[in-house]
Amino acid sequence: MTGRRPSSTRNRIAPVSHIRTAAVLLSAALVAGCGLVPGDAKSAGDRPVTVMTWAPEKTRATNMPGVPAMARAYARWINAHGGIGGRTLKVLTCNDHNDSVDAARCARSAVEHDAAAVVGSYSQHANAFLPPLESAGIPYIGGYGATEAEFTSPLSYPVNGGQAALLAGNGRQLSGPCARTVLIRPDSIAGDQLAPLLNSGLALRHRPATVDVLAADDATDYADQARRALDTASRAPQGEGCVAAVLGERTNTFFDSFRRLREDYPSVRTATVLGSVDQTVVDRTGGPESPYEGAYVTSWYPASGDARWDPMKRAINEQAFGDNRIDPADAGVQTTWIAYEVLRQIIESAGDGAVTARTVRTALDDDVKVTTGGLTPPLRWGYDHMSPVGDFPRLVNARVTFQKVVSGRLTATRKSSVDVTGTLAGLS
């Protein structure tokens, strides 16, 4: 979930996927590494709205194929129901390969195609993709929150609290049961931010700072890190030790190593966050017999079985049934759905007017109130709703939910969400 330390980059052309448009756009998309899905709306006339969604696919580290797949499915779904205010939604997609050069290339492609917004995307390279968007005035709606820059750029309109809220929330969740917490996190620039965030939540009950264990985010075995974590956590006062792993896709690899070793140590509690685990991962690794059984999990959103996700699931069933890239329990898929619902309401607020990057940005800045069916609190990005958290001024939704894996199911441990704005403000 977090970016690697700077390394040499390679000039690559991202693969083209799911292209169904005219030859001129096809040629441009091949150059930019992007695909275009126009959808099927018949009542949209000649007023299409073009947007872009990007994410890494087929890399050795974090992959988010469900993000562009959900964006394409949303376009087909909304267009099959008349489009957005009578306009066809056209979705460009791009693969950033977890690479800063390709992330910048995706952003330049959005500019070249005159995109009205970049929506529901995931990238670890905000410093590469935000400058081209900012220069062109293209808003970035509902990015995953993988980077701090997404909460500082005036062109970013996040729908969740990103890694900051998850880690601060996880610290609060663990501040009760854990006398000592060991954090397994990526050895990366973005990973360096995680321990202070987790500690901000642990400090709520004056728990000691976490023990920070670094790990490569593309390793195939984490036996050394698991052994260090168990050695430390199992010697916690009163035996209340916890191991929190936040390694994105590699979290499962860590817990596989952890499971093989934990029987040799006294019992410790485990924890992680949304994006490092979801219901599908729990199911795939054994359900009630999974190494995640009993783990504390902090999420941005309600558990995947919550009825508030039903509209998204109906859209998936209608337009993407059988597409195994789109998992309704995946945080990237969920965030993309929410981001496109934001886009829909923003465009509808424009009435019959033109929809451009400028008009979308103006509506967002003018404090249009967006609702998401209870998946988030009402969202507004006007000046009066900016965050008091100095390092995260664009953080308009710092709410998280506390869950636990019980009998193989992610289950809410409290009815209401928790606002960690105050916790994060303590870091400023």
Side-chain angles (χ1 to χ4, degrees):
M1 295 176 67
T2 51
R4 296 177 178 172
R5 295 187 185 279
S7 60
S8 62
T9 57
R10 305 178 300 279
N11 289 324
R12 297 190 297 264
I13 300 298
V16 180
S17 61
H18 297 270
I19 302 175
R20 304 178 188 171
T21 188
V24 61
L25 285 182
L26 174 58
S27 175
L30 283 167
V31 172
C34 300
L36 180 63
V37 176
D40 302 310
K42 297 180 180 179
S43 60
D46 57 356
R47 300 179 299 166
V49 176
T50 299
V51 298
M52 176 175 277
T53 296
W54 58 57
E57 299 184 67
K58 299 180 181 179
T59 76
R60 293 182 59 193
T62 298
N63 294 290
M64 305 290 284
V67 169
M70 182 70 240
R72 298 180 194 114
Y74 188 95
R76 293 193 298 271
W77 173 74
I78 200 71
N79 290 336
H81 294 275
I84 303 178
R87 303 170 179 88
T88 300
L89 177 64
K90 295 184 178 180
V91 175
L92 290 158
T93 61
C94 198
N95 185 350
D96 90 333
H97 291 103
N98 276 322
D99 180 88
S100 60
V101 172
D102 283 347
R105 183 179 291 119
C106 288
R108 291 195 300 271
S109 179
V111 175
E112 291 165 3
H113 286 87
D114 200 23
V118 174
V119 187
S121 297
Y122 177 101
S123 178
Q124 301 166 3
H125 301 286
N127 290 335
F129 71 72
L130 278 172
L133 297 184
E134 290 171 344
S135 295
I138 297 175
Y140 185 69
I141 301 174
Y144 193 84
T147 65
E148 189 172 320
E150 293 173 57
F151 298 95
T152 58
S153 171
L155 271 292
S156 180
Y157 301 86
V159 299
N160 60 46
Q163 292 286 352
L166 288 180
L167 268 294
N170 201 229
R172 285 186 61 168
Q173 190 175 11
L174 299 181
S175 66
C178 304
R180 176 179 294 156
T181 301
V182 181
L183 172 65
I184 315 297
R185 55 87 169 176
D187 183 9
S188 66
I189 293 174
D192 292 345
Q193 305 169 14
L194 303 188
L197 291 166
L198 188 69
N199 287 336
S200 70
L202 291 170
L204 181 70
R205 298 193 184 183
H206 307 289
R207 293 300 197 184
T210 182
V211 178
D212 199 14
V213 176
L214 280 60
D217 63 357
D218 60 354
T220 57
D221 182 81
Y222 292 102
D224 289 344
Q225 289 82 2
R227 190 173 293 108
R228 290 175 58 193
L230 285 162
D231 283 341
T232 303
S234 63
R235 289 185 278 110
Q238 295 84 43
E240 297 294 334
C242 295
V243 176
V246 184
L247 292 167
E249 281 191 350
R250 298 293 172 171
T251 302
N252 196 44
T253 304
F254 169 79
F255 273 108
D256 186 55
S257 299
F258 184 84
R259 172 160 52 181
R260 293 197 299 267
L261 295 170
R262 70 182 303 173
E263 291 183 0
D264 297 332
Y265 293 85
S267 177
V268 299
R269 301 173 187 266
T270 57
T272 186
V273 298
L274 182 73
S276 286
V277 69
D278 56 36
Q279 186 59 56
T280 301
V281 171
V282 175
D283 293 341
R284 190 173 64 242
T285 55
E289 305 301 321
S290 164
Y292 297 101
E293 181 66 21
Y296 295 99
V297 180
T298 306
S299 173
W300 296 308
Y301 312 125
S304 60
D306 192 288
R308 285 170 283 187
W309 290 113
D310 287 352
M312 178 189 72
K313 292 176 181 177
R314 286 194 293 269
I316 293 171
N317 287 337
E318 181 181 322
Q319 294 294 336
F321 183 78
D323 188 341
N324 58 15
R325 294 169 301 173
I326 302 179
D327 178 359
D330 178 75
V333 169
Q334 294 174 345
T335 302
T336 301
W337 167 263
I338 291 171
Y340 271 91
E341 283 291 276
V342 169
L343 177 74
R344 177 182 61 79
Q345 292 179 55
I346 290 297
I347 292 175
E348 288 175 348
S349 74
D352 293 331
V355 177
T356 65
R358 180 177 180 179
T359 61
V360 171
R361 189 177 71 250
T362 298
L364 289 161
D365 290 340
D366 282 350
D367 217 22
V368 172
K369 181 179 178 180
V370 174
T371 58
T372 61
L375 296 172
T376 69
L379 300 172
R380 306 173 81 165
W381 295 270
Y383 179 80
D384 290 341
H385 291 87
M386 290 297 101
S387 171
V389 182
D391 292 339
F392 304 95
R394 307 292 294 180
L395 182 65
V396 300
N397 173 21
R399 290 195 167 272
V400 297
T401 60
F402 292 168
Q403 300 172 23
K404 188 176 182 180
V405 182
V406 179
S407 299
R409 304 299 300 174
L410 277 166
T411 305
T413 61
R414 53 183 296 163
K415 293 181 179 179
S416 59
S417 58
V418 177
D419 190 342
V420 297
T421 300
T423 306
L424 291 170
L427 287 170
S428 302

